[in-house]
Amino acid sequence: MGFTMGLNLLLLVAMVATNILSLYHLSSNIQSKPPVAPPVPDHLLHQLQTIRATINHLTRLQPQTPPSAKTKKSSLTIPSDLLLYTHLSPIGSSCKDNPDLLHQYMNYTPFALCPSDSSVAESLILRGCHPLPRRRCFSRTPSSVPTSLPKTPFSTIPEKALLWNSYTCKSFSCLSRSNPNMGFDMKVEQSRYLGYKSDLDLPIPQFLQLTKSSKSVIRLALDIGGGTGTFAAQMKLNNVTVVTTTMNLGAPYSETVALRGLVPLHVPLQQRLPVFDGVVDLVRCGHAVNRWIPLTMMEFLLFDVDRVLRGGGYLWLDYFFSKREDLVKVFQPLIWKLNYKKVKWAVANKNDASGVKNGEVYLTALLQKPVSR
C-alpha cells in the first residue's frame, strides 16, 4: 500500500517537473525568436475550402428573420422559396463569348431611356446570350398613340403603334413590297393556311377534321418560328390558343404579333421552350426550322417538343426543307427517334432557284405522340 502511494507520488512529481521544464523552454524560445508556423498541407487547405464553401452555401439557404420580426414575441421567418428570388437573375453563359456586343448592349445610362439597340440584343440572343442581362432603363414608346387597336387578327395594323428606328423599311407597305410572303399584308394573310394547292399543304380545316375524327382535343398550341402570327390568328378563329415564338430579324415581327391580339415569345430556336412539360396539344414548326439548323440543336429541339406535348398531342412540320439525301439519311431517322404515329408524310421538290441548285425538297409531316408510354 505504502509502496503504491509512493510510486504514484513520484510519478506526479515527475509529470509536474516535466511540464515546468516544457513551459520554461517554450517561454525562452518565444523571447529569443518568433515561432514559425508549420506549412499547412495542400489536402488540408482543400478540405478547409470545401468546408467554408459548404457553410456559405448553407448560410445562404437558411431562412433569415427580418429586423422588424425580432422585436415580436413570435419569430417570423421568410419562406425559403422566396429567398431564391433574392438572387440576381442569371444571364446566358455564352454572353462572355461576345464581350464587344455585350459591352455595347450594357453601355447605357441607368434610370434614363434605353438605347435604340434592339438589333444588338438580337445579335446577342442569336449567339446564345439568352437570357440577356437585365438593365435599369426605361423602354421607348412611339411618339403618338393610335386611338384604337385592331379588333380582329386580320384588321389593318396601325403603323404609328410601332417604333421603326431599327428597321430599313419604315412602313408595312414597304415590307410587303420587298417581300409579299413576309406576312405583313393582312389581305394576303387572311387566306393563308386555308387552301390546298399540293400534297404539301395541310389546311387548318382539314387538320381540325383529322383531330376530331381521332377524338383528339386541340385547345393549346405552340408555333415555333411563326413570323407575324398568321397561323395563331387562323387558329384563334377556331377557338384554339396559340403562342408564337418569333425573332425580329430585320422586321417588327414580335410587335406585329402582339398588335394582332396574339402572344409573341421572343426566344431563339436554341432556347429551351418556356413551357411546362406535357401541357400543349400541338406544336407547329414553320419555315424557321430547316436544314440550316445544326443537327445537334435540331435533335434537342425535337426532344424539347416531345417534352411540352401532352400524350396524344401533335407535331406538325410545315414545309421543312433539306437536301433530298439529307432527308433520307439524316433527318428522317432523327424524326423517327420520337416513335410518333405518322398521320401525314408528304415530300415534294423545292422548285425555286436555291432548291433546284442544291437538290432540295420540302417535307410536310403530321405526327402524333403516343397517348401513354
Side-chain angles (χ1 to χ4, degrees):
M1 179 81 176
F3 175 76
T4 304
M5 291 182 62
L7 181 60
N8 288 338
L9 182 61
L10 180 62
L11 291 173
L12 178 63
V13 172
M15 183 177 67
V16 171
T18 303
N19 287 339
I20 291 174
L21 288 173
S22 299
L23 181 62
Y24 172 76
H25 178 70
L26 179 62
S27 63
S28 63
N29 283 344
I30 292 175
Q31 292 175 359
S32 61
K33 142 178 163 176
V36 178
V40 181
D42 291 339
H43 71 276
L44 275 180
L45 286 175
H46 178 70
Q47 291 178 2
L48 287 172
Q49 291 171 355
T50 303
I51 293 171
R52 184 180 293 114
T54 304
I55 292 173
N56 291 337
H57 176 69
L58 293 175
T59 303
R60 288 197 304 267
L61 293 181
Q62 183 178 5
Q64 302 292 326
T65 303
S68 60
K70 293 180 180 179
T71 59
K72 299 180 181 180
K73 293 183 179 179
S74 60
S75 61
L76 299 177
T77 57
I78 302 174
S80 58
D81 57 340
L82 291 183
L83 285 177
L84 297 176
Y85 296 99
T86 64
H87 299 282
L88 293 176
S89 63
I91 64 172
S93 60
S94 295
C95 294
K96 63 180 176 57
D97 299 329
N98 302 275
D100 294 338
L101 280 173
L102 187 60
H103 174 74
Q104 186 178 352
Y105 179 74
M106 294 304 293
N107 185 19
Y108 71 98
T109 303
F111 312 113
L113 283 177
C114 296
S116 299
D117 58 356
S118 59
S119 60
V120 177
E122 294 266 326
S123 297
L124 280 168
I125 291 174
L126 291 173
R127 286 166 173 79
C129 181
H130 192 271
L132 290 169
R134 290 183 176 181
R135 302 190 297 190
R136 290 175 294 174
C137 57
F138 301 107
S139 62
R140 295 177 178 269
T141 57
S143 56
S144 60
V145 180
T147 56
S148 62
L149 294 175
K151 295 182 179 179
T152 68
F154 296 101
S155 300
T156 302
I157 302 174
E159 295 181 344
K160 293 183 178 180
L162 279 79
L163 290 170
W164 293 93
N165 305 18
S166 303
Y167 310 115
T168 304
C169 278
K170 308 299 181 183
S171 65
F172 290 120
S173 58
C174 172
L175 291 169
S176 299
R177 285 195 304 271
S178 62
N179 186 350
N181 295 320
M182 291 181 69
F184 293 99
D185 187 344
M186 293 300 109
K187 294 180 180 179
V188 174
E189 298 305 297
Q190 196 163 7
S191 60
R192 196 181 296 276
Y193 304 115
L194 300 180
Y196 183 93
K197 297 179 181 178
S198 71
D199 289 341
L200 292 171
D201 294 318
L202 179 57
I204 288 178
Q206 182 184 356
F207 165 72
L208 294 175
Q209 184 61 41
L210 285 171
T211 59
K212 184 178 179 181
S213 61
S214 62
K215 298 182 181 179
S216 300
V217 178
I218 304 296
R219 301 165 303 159
L220 301 173
L222 189 62
D223 189 17
I224 299 176
T228 60
T230 297
F231 180 79
Q234 297 287 10
M235 295 295 278
K236 183 179 182 180
L237 300 181
N238 289 276
N239 297 320
V240 178
T241 301
V242 179
V243 176
T244 303
T245 73
T246 187
M247 295 287 292
N248 284 20
L249 301 176
Y253 289 101
S254 295
E255 301 98 310
T256 303
V257 173
L259 286 171
R260 299 176 75 178
L262 308 168
V263 182
L265 287 180
H266 191 224
V267 294
L269 294 175
Q270 65 266 36
Q271 171 71 20
R272 183 179 188 267
L273 297 172
V275 181
F276 194 69
D277 301 1
V279 295
V280 299
D281 308 308
L282 166 68
V283 175
R284 175 186 170 270
C285 297
H287 287 283
V289 180
N290 55 62
R291 75 179 182 93
W292 295 113
I293 300 176
L295 187 61
T296 302
M297 194 176 79
M298 182 71 178
E299 184 174 26
F300 275 110
L301 174 62
L302 289 177
F303 277 91
D304 203 28
V305 168
D306 178 76
R307 178 185 63 82
V308 302
L309 275 176
R310 65 168 178 82
Y314 291 88
L315 166 60
W316 182 348
L317 295 172
D318 199 3
Y319 276 77
F320 173 87
F321 71 87
S322 71
K323 292 184 177 180
R324 181 178 292 275
E325 58 180 331
D326 289 343
L327 178 62
V328 175
K329 297 180 180 180
V330 179
F331 295 109
Q332 183 171 314
L334 180 61
I335 295 168
W336 289 139
K337 284 184 180 180
L338 297 175
N339 293 318
Y340 282 14
K341 176 184 175 182
K342 183 170 67 174
V343 180
K344 179 183 177 70
W345 187 276
V347 179
N349 291 330
K350 187 171 179 282
N351 292 321
D352 59 8
S354 174
V356 173
K357 178 181 177 181
N358 298 306
E360 293 173 332
V361 295
Y362 280 121
L363 165 69
T364 293
L366 182 65
L367 310 167
Q368 186 177 21
K369 181 177 178 177
V371 175
S372 61
R373 283 177 172 161

